[in-house]
Amino acid sequence: MTLTPDITDTFKERAGELRAKWGWFVALGILMLIVGGVALGNLLIATVASVYLVGIMMLMAGGFEIVHAFGVKTWSGFFGWLLGGLLYAIAGIVAFINPLLAAGVLTLLLAASLIAAGVVRAWIGFKHWNEKGAGWIIAAAIITALAGIVIGIGWPVNSVWVLGMFLAIDMIFQGWASIALGLALKSGAKL
């Protein structure tokens, strides 16, 4: 006799709970499709909204680091955490004072991140060239790096719409995924 429940039984219970909520997944998906469509219709507002969201997160992180600094027992640790927290808070404030400047910086960082991610993924794909699916990894890596290059070439002009476009596309894809999951739960398909 074991004291731990069978993992299969636990999974089946969770799947049953999710099946009962299938309509919520579909409703969330429809809502995300609508909001994503609205964001796609006005990319400047979607960009500013995404910058404000990042600004809020930076302000919160900065506040937590400043509070944490006062809990550190050494002066060098105190000043390090305090400086880090102040820099985060200042960056968050800049996002609110000048969202277009912040959008420009974030767009440039996005371009650099996509290029770096594409290069790393391509390297991983080539490293595993003999394995099945490596070509797909390399193809996706090239597309990722090219997206970063295109964004970088268009910078800073494209800074007013790129972040909003990414936000809108993400919401649309998440909406479709949520609808698909809800309908699969309704039909009783295996997840």
Side-chain angles (χ1 to χ4, degrees):
M1 180 172 136
T2 61
L3 297 176
T4 58
D6 184 17
I7 190 109
T8 307
D9 292 337
T10 304
F11 182 74
K12 287 179 183 177
E13 288 174 25
R14 302 264 186 215
E17 292 172 14
L18 285 178
R19 278 193 182 85
K21 309 276 188 210
W22 72 269
W24 287 102
F25 286 98
V26 172
L28 174 66
I30 292 170
L31 181 65
M32 290 184 79
L33 281 176
I34 292 169
V35 173
V38 170
L40 200 57
N42 197 334
L43 295 176
L44 176 62
I45 290 175
T47 295
V48 171
S50 63
V51 168
Y52 283 163
L53 180 62
V54 170
I56 288 169
M57 290 187 290
M58 293 179 95
L59 281 171
M60 289 174 50
F64 289 137
E65 281 194 37
I66 291 168
V67 168
H68 176 69
F70 289 99
V72 176
K73 302 295 182 200
T74 64
W75 280 107
S76 63
F78 168 77
F79 285 115
W81 285 104
L82 182 65
L83 179 63
L86 288 173
L87 289 174
Y88 261 125
I90 290 169
I93 291 168
V94 167
F96 283 97
I97 292 173
N98 193 343
L100 295 180
L101 171 67
V105 171
L106 291 171
T107 301
L108 187 60
L109 289 173
L110 174 65
S113 297
L114 288 172
I115 293 168
V119 168
V120 169
R121 289 177 186 158
W123 176 72
I124 291 169
F126 281 116
K127 190 174 178 182
H128 297 281
W129 181 251
N130 294 330
E131 296 178 32
K132 189 174 182 175
W136 286 107
I137 292 171
I138 294 168
I142 291 169
I143 291 170
T144 300
L146 286 175
I149 291 169
V150 168
I151 291 170
I153 289 172
W155 186 84
V157 175
N158 62 4
S159 299
V160 296
W161 59 267
V162 165
L163 298 176
M165 183 186 68
F166 271 72
L167 177 66
I169 290 171
D170 179 63
M171 285 194 290
I172 289 169
F173 275 97
Q174 290 301 321
W176 281 116
S178 185
I179 290 170
L181 175 62
L183 294 176
L185 288 170
K186 180 183 180 194
S187 72
K190 284 191 172 185
L191 302 177

